[in-house]
């Protein structure tokens, strides 16, 4: 190594096993050189003995070095982007110090061992203090099931950038899926870590069902049924959904926090999943379990906006009624549009009722057209829209929805809008103060009321079939030795 390197731009890095006597010797000599040479800069890193071998292997592989023991010493040329030049081990450093500075170490073996022991104890104390400091900042624990789904991949950056839970709230993300998707989960974890989100405390994968939902604050259920070419019986699909949700409900009650919030998402049986988790998890607060309808609401707004040639953000208050991923009704009767090019204009935020923009006779045909567009495009979705929908609802849940705007969410009915109690039904709500409330002050016309009656019948029948199938199953076992695979492989459809 050249003696003429500008030391003001060089940093010597000393790294070793915390209880290594040779690291102790190199460390003290480096401290002496730094104290007596104005341009000699030292950075020290100690590693616990249990972690040293793995860390050494990784650092050598990353830099293309060959080194097998503690310590390892290199120089970082700060004026060249931190490029590291390997100096070597203890003997290389002693030779370097003797050759360039005429200084060597006379430390005895007994002294080296004593200092090494002190280093180990100090390292353990520092690690303990760091863990205690971290424990004072409790990150939100977020669990995502069927985490190999494309929706999860797109959802993680939205959760970790601070816009959902707040710029001061740290989060830990837990990805749950089966063993067959271990490599996919590992890839997601590595990519998320590489992005270095300041608020992402940790991200981890889980393939053991017993570990599911430990200390969970938020659970996002992405499980979906994969309809096979032979078209399985509807009752069989409902049975699979119900059985997996029964397992989830038990684990949520056992492992999650008492105030855990559960979002049922996906493209199949969204209402039923929420209903079954609620049914088999009686200790979970019913108001903390919702079925996601925002994806379909946003898609309806976007489709309508394209027809009106306006920005999709300019369509407000479209309502999704009923079974989100089954028989549902897109209600435009309260919808408003902003930014529509017409003879009537107003200040920013000025809106007009949709019925004043579209001729009355066209509303029915436009409704059918939107329904058809949503049905034809659902299979082409690759996860961005559903991920954005989940993130939007979580942001509303924690920070409130825009004042005056309607949000569609599947919730447990209590007789609102003459809908029977005890089913999960999508209806208009507003979020505020960390909770939601149904917008019962909205007027529902006679046509809509008749449609709600038909949608109600569909959901009641689905619930009855699920409960019947559950009674036919074997008794639930606490050891969780098996878990039905119907939902675990379901979300491979591109949504």
């Amino acid at each position: 190594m050249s003696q003429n390197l500008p030391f003001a731009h060089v940093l010597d890095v000393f790294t070793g096993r915390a209880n290594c006597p040779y690291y102790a010797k190199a460390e003290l000599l480096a401290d002496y050189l730094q104290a007596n040479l104005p341009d000699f800069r030292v950075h020290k890193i100690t590693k616990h003995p249990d972690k040293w071998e793995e860390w050494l292997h990784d650092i050598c592989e990353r830099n293309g070095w060959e080194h097998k023991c503690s310590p390892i010493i290199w120089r970082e040329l700060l004026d060249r982007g931190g490029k590291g030049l390997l100096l070597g081990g203890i003997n290389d450093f002693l030779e370097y110090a003797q050759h360039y500075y005429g200084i060597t170490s006379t430390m005895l073996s007994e002294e080296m061992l004593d200092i090494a022991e002190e280093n180990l104890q100090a390292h353990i104390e520092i690690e303990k203090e760091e863990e205690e400091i971290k424990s004072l900042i409790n990150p939100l624990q977020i669990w995502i099931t069927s985490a190999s789904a494309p929706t999860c991949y797109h959802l993680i950056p939205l959760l970790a950038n601070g816009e959902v839970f707040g710029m001061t709230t740290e989060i830990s993300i837990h990805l749950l899926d089966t063993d067959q998707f271990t490599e996919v989960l590992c890839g997601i974890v590595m990519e998320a870590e590489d992005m270095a989100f300041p608020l992402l405390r940790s991200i981890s994968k889980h393939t053991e069902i017993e570990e599911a939902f430990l200390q969970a604050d938020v659970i996002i259920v992405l499980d979906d049924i994969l309809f096979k070419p032979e078209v399985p019986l509807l009752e069989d699909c409902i049975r699979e959904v119900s059985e997996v949700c029964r397992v989830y409900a038990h684990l949520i009650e056992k492992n999650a926090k008492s105030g855990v919030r559960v979002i049922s998402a996906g493209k199949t049986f969204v209402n039923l999943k929420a209903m079954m988790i609620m049914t088999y998890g009686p200790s979970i607060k019913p108001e903390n379990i919702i079925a996601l309808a925002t994806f379909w609401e946003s898609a309806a707004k976007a489709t309508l906006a394209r027809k009106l040639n306006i920005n999709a953000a300019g369509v407000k208050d479209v309502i999704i009624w009923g079974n989100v991923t089954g028989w549902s009704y897109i209600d435009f009767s309260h919808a408003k549009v902003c930014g529509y090019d017409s003879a009537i204009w107003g200040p920013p935020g000025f809106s007009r009722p949709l019925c004043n923009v579209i001729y009355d006779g066209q509303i029915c045909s436009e409704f059918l057209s939107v329904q058809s567009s949503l049905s034809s495009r659902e299979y082409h979705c690759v996860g961005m829209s559903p991920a954005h929908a989940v993130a939007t609802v979580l942001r509303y849940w924690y920070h409130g929805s825009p004042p005056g705007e309607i949000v569609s969410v599947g919730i447990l009915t209590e007789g609102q809008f003459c809908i029977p109690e005890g089913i999960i039904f999508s209806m208009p709500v507003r979020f505020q103060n960390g909770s939601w409330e149904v917008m019962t002050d909205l007027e529902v016309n006679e046509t809509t009321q008749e449609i709600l009656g038909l949608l109600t019948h569909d959901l009641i029948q689905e619930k009855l079939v699920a409960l019947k199938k559950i009674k036919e199953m074997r008794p639930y076992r606490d050891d969780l030795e098996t878990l039905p695979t119907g939902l675990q492989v379901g979300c491979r459809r591109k949504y």
Side-chain angles (χ1 to χ4, degrees), residues 48-63:
H48 193 279
D50 295 340
K51 300 177 181 178
W52 167 253
E53 293 295 337
E54 181 180 357
W55 185 89
L56 179 62
H57 175 271
D58 291 344
I59 196 71
C60 288
E61 186 175 272
R62 188 181 311 130
N63 291 281

Side-chain angles (χ1 to χ4, degrees), residues 365-422:
S365 61
E366 293 295 339
F367 162 75
L368 294 174
S369 178
V370 170
Q371 288 275 38
S372 176
S373 297
L374 295 184
S375 298
S376 64
R377 62 178 279 186
E378 65 177 272
Y379 296 102
H380 303 290
C381 181
V382 293
M384 281 193 292
S385 295
H388 182 263
V390 172
T392 298
V393 165
L394 278 173
R395 184 174 73 250
Y396 290 169
W397 209 343
Y398 276 83
H399 302 291
S401 52
E405 287 193 22
I406 296 172
V407 183
S408 301
V409 169
I411 51 96
L412 184 66
T413 56
E414 297 179 349
Q416 307 96 329
F417 304 107
C418 299
I419 300 170
E421 298 182 13

Side-chain angles (χ1 to χ4, degrees), residues 35-276:
N36 291 276
L37 299 173
D39 293 325
F40 192 88
R41 297 290 178 263
V42 174
H43 177 63
K44 293 181 285 187
I45 303 173
T46 57
K47 291 293 177 181
H48 193 279
D50 295 340
K51 300 177 181 178
W52 167 253
E53 293 295 337
E54 181 180 357
W55 185 89
L56 179 62
H57 175 271
D58 291 344
I59 196 71
C60 288
E61 186 175 272
R62 188 181 311 130
N63 291 281
W65 296 336
E66 288 288 340
H67 193 82
K68 302 295 184 183
C69 58
S70 171
I72 178 172
I73 304 165
W74 69 86
R75 313 196 79 185
E76 290 189 355
L77 309 183
L78 303 183
D79 59 338
R80 301 186 188 178
K83 182 180 179 181
L85 297 178
L86 179 63
L87 182 60
I90 180 63
N91 291 332
D92 299 295
F93 178 61
L94 292 177
E95 181 181 345
Y96 173 78
Q98 176 68 40
H99 179 73
Y100 286 115
Y101 307 116
I103 299 173
T104 190
S105 174
T106 58
M107 184 183 295
L108 301 176
S109 298
E110 187 175 344
E111 292 178 284
M112 291 164 56
L113 291 171
D114 290 341
I115 294 175
E117 181 61 29
E118 291 177 8
N119 281 346
L120 178 60
Q121 294 303 319
H123 180 80
I124 293 173
E125 287 297 322
I126 291 172
E127 282 191 332
K128 185 178 179 181
E129 288 178 7
E130 290 177 349
E131 288 300 319
E132 289 177 353
I133 292 172
K134 286 183 178 180
S135 68
L136 297 176
I137 306 174
N138 296 319
L140 280 176
Q141 304 294 327
I142 303 167
W143 283 78
I144 306 174
T145 70
S146 288
S148 60
T151 296
C152 176
Y153 181 83
H154 294 287
L155 178 60
I156 290 172
L158 300 178
L159 297 178
N161 66 14
E163 294 183 6
V164 173
F165 301 105
M167 300 305 296
T168 59
T169 302
E170 290 191 351
I171 64 173
S172 290
I173 297 177
H174 304 267
L175 309 178
L176 178 66
D177 215 315
T178 55
D179 286 332
Q180 68 187 106
F181 297 107
T182 298
E183 289 188 10
V184 177
L185 298 185
C186 288
I188 295 174
V189 168
M190 290 179 63
E191 193 163 347
E193 290 175 341
D194 289 344
M195 295 179 76
F197 293 105
L199 297 175
L200 182 58
R201 169 77 68 83
S202 64
I203 180 168
S204 55
K205 65 176 179 64
H206 303 266
T207 56
E208 297 295 330
I209 189 64
E210 297 91 341
E211 301 175 356
F213 314 132
L214 286 172
Q215 295 300 305
D217 293 290
V218 175
I219 298 172
I220 302 164
V221 180
L222 295 182
D223 301 69
D224 231 342
I225 281 287
L226 177 62
F227 289 102
K228 301 172 184 178
E230 58 269 24
V231 186
L233 291 174
L234 178 62
E235 291 189 0
D236 292 336
C237 293
I238 291 176
R239 176 188 59 78
E240 292 184 17
V241 172
S242 301
E243 190 169 353
V244 173
C245 287
R246 179 170 62 163
V247 174
Y248 283 171
H250 171 80
L251 291 168
I252 292 170
E253 287 188 309
K254 178 183 176 182
N255 296 336
K257 295 179 182 177
S258 59
V260 63
R261 300 179 183 186
V262 182
I263 293 181
S264 172
K267 290 182 58 178
T268 59
F269 300 107
V270 169
N271 292 53
L272 182 63
K273 286 184 287 189
M275 184 77 258
M276 290 297 98

Side-chain angles (χ1 to χ4, degrees), residues 265-406:
K267 290 182 58 178
T268 59
F269 300 107
V270 169
N271 292 53
L272 182 63
K273 286 184 287 189
M275 184 77 258
M276 290 297 98
I277 291 174
M278 199 175 294
T279 300
Y280 292 104
S283 68
I284 308 171
K285 298 177 181 178
E287 64 271 21
N288 282 3
I289 303 175
I290 64 174
L292 187 73
T294 317
F295 166 61
W296 302 98
E297 179 185 303
S298 298
K301 291 177 180 178
T303 303
L304 191 61
R306 281 191 288 271
K307 291 182 173 295
L308 297 176
N309 196 28
I310 62 174
N311 190 301
V315 182
K316 310 286 186 182
D317 300 345
V318 173
I319 303 173
I320 306 295
W321 295 95
N323 191 350
V324 176
T325 51
W327 290 103
S328 59
Y329 172 58
I330 304 176
D331 182 2
F332 296 135
S333 61
H334 298 277
K336 301 189 293 285
V337 294
C338 304
Y340 181 65
D341 188 9
S342 67
I344 302 175
W345 282 84
F350 171 74
S351 63
R352 298 177 61 193
L354 178 66
C355 61
N356 291 349
V357 175
I358 297 178
Y359 294 113
D360 292 342
Q362 287 183 309
I363 291 181
C364 182
S365 61
E366 293 295 339
F367 162 75
L368 294 174
S369 178
V370 170
Q371 288 275 38
S372 176
S373 297
L374 295 184
S375 298
S376 64
R377 62 178 279 186
E378 65 177 272
Y379 296 102
H380 303 290
C381 181
V382 293
M384 281 193 292
S385 295
H388 182 263
V390 172
T392 298
V393 165
L394 278 173
R395 184 174 73 250
Y396 290 169
W397 209 343
Y398 276 83
H399 302 291
S401 52
E405 287 193 22
I406 296 172

